[in-house]
Amino acid sequence: MAGPLGKDLLGLAPLSADQIRLVLDTAVPFREISERAIKKVPTLRGATIVNLFFEASTRTRISFEFAEKRLSADTVNVASAGSSVSKGETLVDTARNLEAMKIDMVVVRHGGSGAAKFLAERIESNVVNAGDGTNEHPTQGLLDMLTLRDRFGDLAGKRICIVGDVLHSRVARSNIWGLTKLGAQVAVCGPRSLLPNAIEQMGVTVFNRIEEAIEWADALNVLRLQLERMQAGYIPSLREYNRVFGVTSARLEKASRDLLILHPGPMNRGVEIDSDVADGPHSVILDQVTNGVAVRMAVLYLLAGGKPELAEAAKKGVA
Amino acid sequence: MAYPIGSRDLLIRGGRIIDPSQGLDAVGDVLLRNGIVEACGGTISTPDGAEILDASGLVVAPGFIDVHVHLREPGREDVETVASGAHSAVAGGITAVCCMPNTKPVTDNQAVVGFVKQKAEQAGYARVYPYGAISVGQKGETLAEMAEMVAAGAVAFSDDGRPVESAQLMRSALEYARAFNVPIAEHCEDMTLARGGSMNEGIMSAKLGLKGIPAEAEEIYVIRDILLAKRTGGHIHMCHLSTKGSVELVRWGKERGINVTAEVCSHHISLTEDAVDGYNTNAKMNPPLRTAEDIEALQQGLADGTIDLLVTDHAPHHYDEKEREFADAPNGIVGLETALAVNTTYLLHTGILTLPQIVDAMSCKQAKIFHLPGGTLARGGIADVTIFDPNRQWSCDPKAFKSKGRNTPYGGHTFTGQARYTIVAGRVVYTA
């Protein structure tokens, strides 16, 4: 089945600006469902969705599962541990077996860049990329954009800086593709060893110092810094990272204006972000989590063939 | 080698004979008798009972040689055998190949060398010359028994598929091999830079979110090994160069009289990293496809002689091995059956190389650098001949490959240039 987004949501790179706006617009009425006492509409009743998580994930999987259940879909969760994947089954065989069970959608998280596309090209079901390697995490990018749009309105001309380990981040790529399509200015800031070599050619500004990024930006999207990066020799220590690139209240106070602070989570408090910033007045980190469910509901609805003009009706359970 | 010899005299009549080993480029006849070249050039009268092959309008060249192929046997006969690989070679106009030792078991002893030779002779298609491994098990720890392998028929040594990480071991290999006058062929890759990478490091890897392999991963080993060849006087042969920097370093070495030779794969002079877009595993190789700037430098290196040889790095895989996530898919393509076509399409018809230069890089220099029979149509040489039409157009259909592999980025491509007759030991073994 193919709706206004096409058959699959593989990333924000393949989407047009209008398609991105469509998801964000559709998410707004769906957000209200989560505020109700009975958080459920029958929009996807009868649809079968498999959450195929080859990589450990807590918040993304739960967010998708809430989105699916609130739309009344039947869901099955498959994790790689304990599945036939751990016995050596290939991704394409897994896909074929799922297809043979006559499912409607697959939400896939995988450690390999391009894995969602690979799957989408081989099965007829709708495929939603829930993060593939270091390529894209489109629903995270969309929820970030919805959160920014809630505060800023139009994103055109807004300055968003992504801070941290851009090299290994699928969130960063989805943000870069999506935000630039909506006319925002995008920058990245972090140790050069954690920035892709040719990142400037993607149309982003590079800051080597967090102070410059803070002075420039309207919002910071702060990425998690993993301990493994230190062990792999990309940075000397987490302590030094915090001292040089950490988003701290002391640094933010010196800025000439207030910045919005985003973080896709999970956070390493005291490393890439200090607690008083994460919990502070400019943090929209929990808004992101709330928006995540709404965005995922919108994506599932649109991929299932839902018409954008009927989103309001779908919210009421009549479309 | 006991290859089957043509049972009748074969007179190749009226072709354009291009043989840089003799400085020959003229229309004429070639007579093959008892597996050797009996006469070459001018008009030759037809001996009694001779078979006649009309080559008018075609190029007649010394049989093409490819010093860099993977035949997978022993160990992965499901992917390729010596016989299927040798058949694939002649289907591409290639009359002799040198096969890499990264087999299972590794070709690091005389028994495996002998086994591969025996399989090739039984098959009777292209001649096959085995490489021996530089180190036991290709582990980079101790030298393999080179002298015994040379005695069994090994023509060169390499740990291809992986670099010799120990500079001391590489130094010893270059020194030790000097006694046998065989090249040491290096897979140049600094694994500390390349590990985990699956394509060229650049804008495309940034966009696709794939870990890249920087050019320097190759170049660090190129300059290290040139310096070791300078120290030892040994012959270092650089496998499958892919970067502009590597060309410049080899040029630097040659200008100083260091015993360095180099090869480039046909895919590296014809495809950029853009072929990977969409996670196309048929464009995944090691070294990876690079940039237009690198291609230009590699082509220039061929034109000025800095790079000596055009090879394939023929690397067949099962279709289902490539049918997976990009980073996990194996490297390499089926190369033997498209190499000539790629070279004529991208080097000849673009004006970068002349026909004699292509023949030189695909035949004469290969024989000379690796001390192999062939590479010439001079009287008394082995009767291995490639007859090709540089202007014939054809469309690449992987299903028609003689190789067991189907993995190619050229499927559906239209080429200009095709082998028409492949002759080994005076016997026509392939006709297109």
Short mmCIF file of all heavy atoms in Angstrom, two decimals, chain B residues 68-124:
data_model
loop_
_atom_site.label_atom_id
_atom_site.label_comp_id
_atom_site.label_asym_id
_atom_site.label_seq_id
_atom_site.Cartn_x
_atom_site.Cartn_y
_atom_site.Cartn_z
N HIS B 68 46.22 -10.85 -11.66
CA HIS B 68 45.53 -10.69 -10.38
C HIS B 68 44.09 -11.21 -10.46
O HIS B 68 43.16 -10.47 -10.79
CB HIS B 68 45.51 -9.21 -9.96
CG HIS B 68 45.14 -9.03 -8.51
ND1 HIS B 68 45.74 -8.10 -7.70
CD2 HIS B 68 44.24 -9.67 -7.72
CE1 HIS B 68 45.22 -8.17 -6.48
NE2 HIS B 68 44.29 -9.11 -6.47
N VAL B 69 43.93 -12.50 -10.17
CA VAL B 69 42.58 -13.08 -10.12
C VAL B 69 42.45 -13.98 -8.89
O VAL B 69 43.44 -14.44 -8.31
CB VAL B 69 42.24 -13.90 -11.39
CG1 VAL B 69 42.48 -13.11 -12.65
CG2 VAL B 69 43.01 -15.19 -11.43
N HIS B 70 41.20 -14.21 -8.52
CA HIS B 70 40.88 -15.15 -7.44
C HIS B 70 40.05 -16.27 -8.03
O HIS B 70 38.98 -16.03 -8.58
CB HIS B 70 40.10 -14.44 -6.33
CG HIS B 70 40.88 -13.33 -5.69
ND1 HIS B 70 41.65 -13.50 -4.56
CD2 HIS B 70 41.01 -12.02 -6.04
CE1 HIS B 70 42.23 -12.34 -4.24
NE2 HIS B 70 41.86 -11.43 -5.13
N LEU B 71 40.54 -17.49 -7.91
CA LEU B 71 39.83 -18.64 -8.49
C LEU B 71 39.10 -19.48 -7.44
O LEU B 71 38.37 -20.40 -7.79
CB LEU B 71 40.80 -19.51 -9.30
CG LEU B 71 41.43 -18.82 -10.52
CD1 LEU B 71 42.30 -19.80 -11.30
CD2 LEU B 71 40.36 -18.22 -11.43
N ARG B 72 39.31 -19.18 -6.17
CA ARG B 72 38.53 -19.76 -5.04
C ARG B 72 38.79 -21.23 -4.75
O ARG B 72 38.34 -21.73 -3.73
CB ARG B 72 37.03 -19.56 -5.25
CG ARG B 72 36.61 -18.12 -5.52
CD ARG B 72 36.93 -17.21 -4.38
NE ARG B 72 36.35 -15.88 -4.54
CZ ARG B 72 36.87 -14.78 -4.02
NH1 ARG B 72 37.98 -14.84 -3.30
NH2 ARG B 72 36.30 -13.60 -4.21
N GLU B 73 39.43 -21.94 -5.66
CA GLU B 73 39.72 -23.36 -5.42
C GLU B 73 41.19 -23.50 -5.01
O GLU B 73 42.04 -22.93 -5.70
CB GLU B 73 39.45 -24.18 -6.68
CG GLU B 73 39.55 -25.69 -6.47
CD GLU B 73 39.24 -26.51 -7.72
OE1 GLU B 73 39.19 -25.92 -8.82
OE2 GLU B 73 39.08 -27.72 -7.59
N PRO B 74 41.49 -24.22 -3.98
CA PRO B 74 40.61 -25.04 -3.15
C PRO B 74 39.86 -24.23 -2.09
O PRO B 74 40.31 -23.16 -1.69
CB PRO B 74 41.60 -25.99 -2.46
CG PRO B 74 42.86 -25.20 -2.35
CD PRO B 74 42.91 -24.36 -3.60
N GLY B 75 38.73 -24.75 -1.69
CA GLY B 75 38.01 -24.21 -0.54
C GLY B 75 36.62 -23.70 -0.83
O GLY B 75 35.69 -24.01 -0.11
N ARG B 76 36.48 -22.93 -1.90
CA ARG B 76 35.16 -22.38 -2.22
C ARG B 76 34.80 -22.75 -3.65
O ARG B 76 34.49 -21.88 -4.48
CB ARG B 76 35.13 -20.86 -2.02
CG ARG B 76 35.09 -20.41 -0.58
CD ARG B 76 33.88 -20.96 0.21
NE ARG B 76 32.59 -20.69 -0.38
CZ ARG B 76 31.88 -19.56 -0.16
NH1 ARG B 76 32.35 -18.63 0.64
NH2 ARG B 76 30.70 -19.40 -0.73
N GLU B 77 34.78 -24.03 -3.91
CA GLU B 77 34.45 -24.49 -5.26
C GLU B 77 33.01 -24.18 -5.64
O GLU B 77 32.65 -24.21 -6.82
CB GLU B 77 34.72 -26.00 -5.38
CG GLU B 77 36.19 -26.39 -5.35
CD GLU B 77 36.77 -26.51 -3.94
OE1 GLU B 77 36.08 -26.14 -2.96
OE2 GLU B 77 37.92 -26.97 -3.81
N ASP B 78 32.18 -23.87 -4.63
CA ASP B 78 30.80 -23.47 -4.94
C ASP B 78 30.77 -22.10 -5.59
O ASP B 78 29.82 -21.76 -6.30
CB ASP B 78 29.95 -23.48 -3.67
CG ASP B 78 30.53 -22.58 -2.57
OD1 ASP B 78 31.77 -22.49 -2.47
OD2 ASP B 78 29.74 -21.98 -1.83
N VAL B 79 31.79 -21.31 -5.38
CA VAL B 79 31.83 -19.94 -5.89
C VAL B 79 32.57 -19.87 -7.23
O VAL B 79 32.16 -19.15 -8.15
CB VAL B 79 32.52 -19.01 -4.86
CG1 VAL B 79 32.73 -17.63 -5.43
CG2 VAL B 79 31.69 -18.94 -3.58
N GLU B 80 33.68 -20.57 -7.31
CA GLU B 80 34.47 -20.64 -8.54
C GLU B 80 35.42 -21.82 -8.41
O GLU B 80 35.83 -22.17 -7.30
CB GLU B 80 35.28 -19.34 -8.73
CG GLU B 80 35.92 -19.18 -10.10
CD GLU B 80 34.95 -18.61 -11.16
OE1 GLU B 80 34.01 -19.33 -11.55
OE2 GLU B 80 35.14 -17.45 -11.57
N THR B 81 35.74 -22.43 -9.54
CA THR B 81 36.78 -23.45 -9.54
C THR B 81 37.89 -22.97 -10.46
O THR B 81 37.72 -21.99 -11.21
CB THR B 81 36.25 -24.80 -10.07
OG1 THR B 81 35.80 -24.60 -11.41
CG2 THR B 81 35.11 -25.32 -9.20
N VAL B 82 39.00 -23.64 -10.41
CA VAL B 82 40.07 -23.31 -11.34
C VAL B 82 39.54 -23.44 -12.77
O VAL B 82 39.78 -22.57 -13.62
CB VAL B 82 41.28 -24.23 -11.12
CG1 VAL B 82 42.33 -24.02 -12.21
CG2 VAL B 82 41.90 -23.97 -9.74
N ALA B 83 38.74 -24.47 -13.01
CA ALA B 83 38.21 -24.69 -14.36
C ALA B 83 37.23 -23.59 -14.77
O ALA B 83 37.32 -23.03 -15.87
CB ALA B 83 37.54 -26.06 -14.43
N SER B 84 36.28 -23.25 -13.90
CA SER B 84 35.30 -22.22 -14.29
C SER B 84 35.97 -20.85 -14.41
O SER B 84 35.63 -20.05 -15.27
CB SER B 84 34.14 -22.17 -13.30
OG SER B 84 34.56 -21.74 -12.02
N GLY B 85 36.95 -20.59 -13.56
CA GLY B 85 37.68 -19.33 -13.66
C GLY B 85 38.49 -19.25 -14.94
O GLY B 85 38.54 -18.20 -15.60
N ALA B 86 39.12 -20.38 -15.31
CA ALA B 86 39.91 -20.40 -16.53
C ALA B 86 39.01 -20.29 -17.76
O ALA B 86 39.38 -19.67 -18.77
CB ALA B 86 40.74 -21.69 -16.60
N HIS B 87 37.81 -20.85 -17.66
CA HIS B 87 36.83 -20.69 -18.74
C HIS B 87 36.39 -19.23 -18.85
O HIS B 87 36.29 -18.66 -19.95
CB HIS B 87 35.63 -21.60 -18.46
CG HIS B 87 34.74 -21.81 -19.64
ND1 HIS B 87 33.59 -22.54 -19.58
CD2 HIS B 87 34.82 -21.36 -20.92
CE1 HIS B 87 33.00 -22.54 -20.78
NE2 HIS B 87 33.74 -21.83 -21.60
N SER B 88 36.14 -18.62 -17.71
CA SER B 88 35.75 -17.21 -17.67
C SER B 88 36.84 -16.34 -18.31
O SER B 88 36.55 -15.40 -19.06
CB SER B 88 35.53 -16.80 -16.21
OG SER B 88 35.18 -15.45 -16.10
N ALA B 89 38.09 -16.69 -18.01
CA ALA B 89 39.21 -15.92 -18.56
C ALA B 89 39.20 -15.93 -20.09
O ALA B 89 39.25 -14.86 -20.73
CB ALA B 89 40.54 -16.47 -18.04
N VAL B 90 39.09 -17.10 -20.66
CA VAL B 90 39.17 -17.16 -22.13
C VAL B 90 37.94 -16.49 -22.77
O VAL B 90 38.01 -15.96 -23.87
CB VAL B 90 39.36 -18.60 -22.66
CG1 VAL B 90 40.70 -19.15 -22.18
CG2 VAL B 90 38.22 -19.52 -22.28
N ALA B 91 36.81 -16.49 -22.04
CA ALA B 91 35.63 -15.79 -22.55
C ALA B 91 35.86 -14.28 -22.60
O ALA B 91 35.15 -13.58 -23.33
CB ALA B 91 34.42 -16.11 -21.68
N GLY B 92 36.83 -13.81 -21.83
CA GLY B 92 37.18 -12.39 -21.89
C GLY B 92 38.41 -12.13 -22.72
O GLY B 92 38.94 -11.01 -22.71
N GLY B 93 38.90 -13.15 -23.41
CA GLY B 93 40.08 -12.95 -24.25
C GLY B 93 41.38 -13.09 -23.51
O GLY B 93 42.44 -12.73 -24.02
N ILE B 94 41.33 -13.63 -22.32
CA ILE B 94 42.53 -13.73 -21.47
C ILE B 94 43.04 -15.17 -21.53
O ILE B 94 42.30 -16.11 -21.24
CB ILE B 94 42.21 -13.29 -20.04
CG1 ILE B 94 41.89 -11.78 -20.06
CG2 ILE B 94 43.35 -13.59 -19.09
CD1 ILE B 94 41.19 -11.26 -18.84
N THR B 95 44.29 -15.31 -21.89
CA THR B 95 44.84 -16.66 -22.13
C THR B 95 45.63 -17.21 -20.96
O THR B 95 45.95 -18.39 -20.92
CB THR B 95 45.75 -16.66 -23.38
OG1 THR B 95 46.80 -15.69 -23.17
CG2 THR B 95 44.97 -16.29 -24.63
N ALA B 96 45.96 -16.35 -19.99
CA ALA B 96 46.70 -16.81 -18.82
C ALA B 96 46.36 -15.93 -17.63
O ALA B 96 46.17 -14.72 -17.77
CB ALA B 96 48.21 -16.77 -19.07
N VAL B 97 46.26 -16.55 -16.46
CA VAL B 97 45.99 -15.79 -15.24
C VAL B 97 46.94 -16.23 -14.14
O VAL B 97 47.42 -17.37 -14.13
CB VAL B 97 44.53 -15.99 -14.75
CG1 VAL B 97 43.53 -15.50 -15.78
CG2 VAL B 97 44.26 -17.46 -14.39
N CYS B 98 47.20 -15.30 -13.23
CA CYS B 98 47.90 -15.64 -12.00
C CYS B 98 46.87 -15.58 -10.87
O CYS B 98 46.19 -14.56 -10.72
CB CYS B 98 49.03 -14.66 -11.71
SG CYS B 98 50.30 -14.64 -12.97
N CYS B 99 46.77 -16.67 -10.11
CA CYS B 99 45.70 -16.72 -9.11
C CYS B 99 46.27 -16.52 -7.71
O CYS B 99 47.31 -17.05 -7.35
CB CYS B 99 44.91 -18.01 -9.21
SG CYS B 99 45.86 -19.50 -9.05
N MET B 100 45.52 -15.72 -6.95
CA MET B 100 45.96 -15.32 -5.61
C MET B 100 45.84 -16.49 -4.62
O MET B 100 45.02 -17.39 -4.81
CB MET B 100 45.13 -14.13 -5.15
CG MET B 100 45.56 -12.83 -5.82
SD MET B 100 47.26 -12.42 -5.34
CE MET B 100 47.55 -11.00 -6.40
N PRO B 101 46.64 -16.44 -3.56
CA PRO B 101 46.74 -17.60 -2.67
C PRO B 101 45.74 -17.62 -1.51
O PRO B 101 45.84 -18.50 -0.67
CB PRO B 101 48.16 -17.47 -2.14
CG PRO B 101 48.37 -16.00 -2.05
CD PRO B 101 47.61 -15.40 -3.20
N ASN B 102 44.80 -16.67 -1.49
CA ASN B 102 43.88 -16.66 -0.33
C ASN B 102 42.76 -17.68 -0.50
O ASN B 102 41.58 -17.37 -0.50
CB ASN B 102 43.31 -15.25 -0.08
CG ASN B 102 42.60 -14.66 -1.27
OD1 ASN B 102 42.81 -15.08 -2.41
ND2 ASN B 102 41.75 -13.69 -1.03
N THR B 103 43.18 -18.92 -0.68
CA THR B 103 42.27 -20.05 -0.80
C THR B 103 42.15 -20.72 0.57
O THR B 103 42.77 -20.28 1.54
CB THR B 103 42.83 -21.04 -1.83
OG1 THR B 103 44.22 -21.26 -1.54
CG2 THR B 103 42.73 -20.50 -3.25
N LYS B 104 41.33 -21.76 0.63
CA LYS B 104 41.17 -22.50 1.89
C LYS B 104 41.45 -23.98 1.62
O LYS B 104 40.59 -24.65 1.07
CB LYS B 104 39.77 -22.30 2.44
CG LYS B 104 39.48 -20.86 2.82
CD LYS B 104 38.03 -20.71 3.24
CE LYS B 104 37.72 -19.24 3.55
NZ LYS B 104 36.30 -19.01 3.82
N PRO B 105 42.58 -24.53 1.96
CA PRO B 105 43.67 -23.89 2.71
C PRO B 105 44.40 -22.85 1.86
O PRO B 105 44.32 -22.87 0.63
CB PRO B 105 44.60 -25.06 3.04
CG PRO B 105 44.37 -26.04 1.92
CD PRO B 105 42.91 -25.93 1.61
N VAL B 106 45.12 -21.99 2.55
CA VAL B 106 45.92 -20.97 1.88
C VAL B 106 46.98 -21.65 1.01
O VAL B 106 47.53 -22.69 1.38
CB VAL B 106 46.60 -20.06 2.94
CG1 VAL B 106 47.62 -19.14 2.30
CG2 VAL B 106 45.55 -19.27 3.71
N THR B 107 47.24 -21.07 -0.16
CA THR B 107 48.30 -21.59 -1.02
C THR B 107 49.65 -21.11 -0.47
O THR B 107 50.23 -20.13 -0.92
CB THR B 107 48.09 -21.11 -2.47
OG1 THR B 107 46.75 -21.40 -2.87
CG2 THR B 107 49.05 -21.81 -3.43
N ASP B 108 50.09 -21.81 0.56
CA ASP B 108 51.35 -21.40 1.20
C ASP B 108 52.35 -22.56 1.21
O ASP B 108 53.31 -22.55 1.98
CB ASP B 108 51.11 -20.87 2.61
CG ASP B 108 50.50 -21.93 3.54
OD1 ASP B 108 50.25 -23.06 3.08
OD2 ASP B 108 50.28 -21.62 4.72
N ASN B 109 52.09 -23.57 0.36
CA ASN B 109 53.02 -24.71 0.31
C ASN B 109 52.98 -25.32 -1.09
O ASN B 109 52.04 -25.09 -1.86
CB ASN B 109 52.65 -25.74 1.38
CG ASN B 109 51.25 -26.27 1.20
OD1 ASN B 109 51.00 -27.09 0.31
ND2 ASN B 109 50.30 -25.78 2.00
N GLN B 110 53.98 -26.13 -1.36
CA GLN B 110 54.12 -26.66 -2.72
C GLN B 110 52.96 -27.57 -3.12
O GLN B 110 52.61 -27.67 -4.30
CB GLN B 110 55.44 -27.40 -2.86
CG GLN B 110 55.60 -28.56 -1.89
CD GLN B 110 56.92 -29.27 -2.07
OE1 GLN B 110 57.49 -29.25 -3.15
NE2 GLN B 110 57.42 -29.87 -1.02
N ALA B 111 52.33 -28.22 -2.14
CA ALA B 111 51.26 -29.15 -2.47
C ALA B 111 50.07 -28.42 -3.09
O ALA B 111 49.49 -28.87 -4.09
CB ALA B 111 50.82 -29.91 -1.21
N VAL B 112 49.70 -27.29 -2.50
CA VAL B 112 48.56 -26.55 -3.03
C VAL B 112 48.91 -25.92 -4.37
O VAL B 112 48.10 -25.89 -5.30
CB VAL B 112 48.06 -25.48 -2.02
CG1 VAL B 112 46.81 -24.79 -2.56
CG2 VAL B 112 47.74 -26.11 -0.67
N VAL B 113 50.14 -25.44 -4.50
CA VAL B 113 50.58 -24.89 -5.79
C VAL B 113 50.42 -25.95 -6.88
O VAL B 113 49.86 -25.71 -7.96
CB VAL B 113 52.04 -24.41 -5.72
CG1 VAL B 113 52.57 -24.05 -7.11
CG2 VAL B 113 52.18 -23.21 -4.79
N GLY B 114 50.89 -27.15 -6.58
CA GLY B 114 50.80 -28.24 -7.54
C GLY B 114 49.36 -28.62 -7.85
O GLY B 114 49.01 -28.90 -9.00
N PHE B 115 48.52 -28.61 -6.84
CA PHE B 115 47.10 -28.93 -7.00
C PHE B 115 46.43 -27.96 -7.97
O PHE B 115 45.70 -28.36 -8.89
CB PHE B 115 46.42 -28.88 -5.63
CG PHE B 115 44.92 -28.95 -5.67
CD1 PHE B 115 44.26 -30.16 -5.79
CD2 PHE B 115 44.15 -27.78 -5.60
CE1 PHE B 115 42.87 -30.22 -5.83
CE2 PHE B 115 42.77 -27.83 -5.64
CZ PHE B 115 42.12 -29.05 -5.76
N VAL B 116 46.68 -26.69 -7.80
CA VAL B 116 46.06 -25.67 -8.66
C VAL B 116 46.54 -25.84 -10.10
O VAL B 116 45.75 -25.79 -11.06
CB VAL B 116 46.37 -24.25 -8.14
CG1 VAL B 116 45.90 -23.19 -9.13
CG2 VAL B 116 45.71 -24.02 -6.78
N LYS B 117 47.83 -26.08 -10.26
CA LYS B 117 48.37 -26.27 -11.62
C LYS B 117 47.74 -27.49 -12.30
O LYS B 117 47.38 -27.45 -13.48
CB LYS B 117 49.89 -26.46 -11.55
CG LYS B 117 50.65 -25.16 -11.37
CD LYS B 117 52.14 -25.37 -11.55
CE LYS B 117 52.46 -25.93 -12.92
NZ LYS B 117 53.90 -26.02 -13.17
N GLN B 118 47.60 -28.54 -11.52
CA GLN B 118 47.02 -29.77 -12.08
C GLN B 118 45.58 -29.52 -12.52
O GLN B 118 45.16 -29.94 -13.61
CB GLN B 118 47.07 -30.86 -11.01
CG GLN B 118 46.55 -32.20 -11.48
CD GLN B 118 46.37 -33.18 -10.32
OE1 GLN B 118 46.38 -32.78 -9.15
NE2 GLN B 118 46.20 -34.43 -10.64
N LYS B 119 44.80 -28.83 -11.70
CA LYS B 119 43.41 -28.52 -12.04
C LYS B 119 43.33 -27.71 -13.33
O LYS B 119 42.45 -27.90 -14.17
CB LYS B 119 42.74 -27.75 -10.89
CG LYS B 119 42.44 -28.60 -9.68
CD LYS B 119 41.23 -29.48 -9.94
CE LYS B 119 40.92 -30.38 -8.77
NZ LYS B 119 39.80 -31.29 -9.05
N ALA B 120 44.26 -26.77 -13.46
CA ALA B 120 44.25 -25.89 -14.64
C ALA B 120 44.54 -26.69 -15.91
O ALA B 120 43.90 -26.49 -16.95
CB ALA B 120 45.27 -24.77 -14.46
N GLU B 121 45.52 -27.57 -15.80
CA GLU B 121 45.88 -28.37 -16.98
C GLU B 121 44.73 -29.29 -17.39
O GLU B 121 44.47 -29.48 -18.58
CB GLU B 121 47.15 -29.16 -16.69
CG GLU B 121 48.39 -28.26 -16.65
CD GLU B 121 49.60 -28.95 -16.03
OE1 GLU B 121 49.57 -30.18 -15.85
OE2 GLU B 121 50.56 -28.24 -15.69
N GLN B 122 44.05 -29.83 -16.40
CA GLN B 122 42.89 -30.68 -16.70
C GLN B 122 41.79 -29.88 -17.40
O GLN B 122 41.12 -30.37 -18.30
CB GLN B 122 42.33 -31.29 -15.41
CG GLN B 122 43.19 -32.42 -14.85
CD GLN B 122 42.74 -32.84 -13.46
OE1 GLN B 122 41.83 -32.24 -12.87
NE2 GLN B 122 43.36 -33.87 -12.93
N ALA B 123 41.60 -28.65 -16.98
CA ALA B 123 40.53 -27.83 -17.55
C ALA B 123 40.83 -27.47 -19.00
O ALA B 123 39.95 -27.48 -19.86
CB ALA B 123 40.34 -26.56 -16.71
N GLY B 124 42.09 -27.08 -19.26
CA GLY B 124 42.50 -26.82 -20.64
C GLY B 124 41.99 -25.53 -21.24
O GLY B 124 41.94 -25.40 -22.46
#
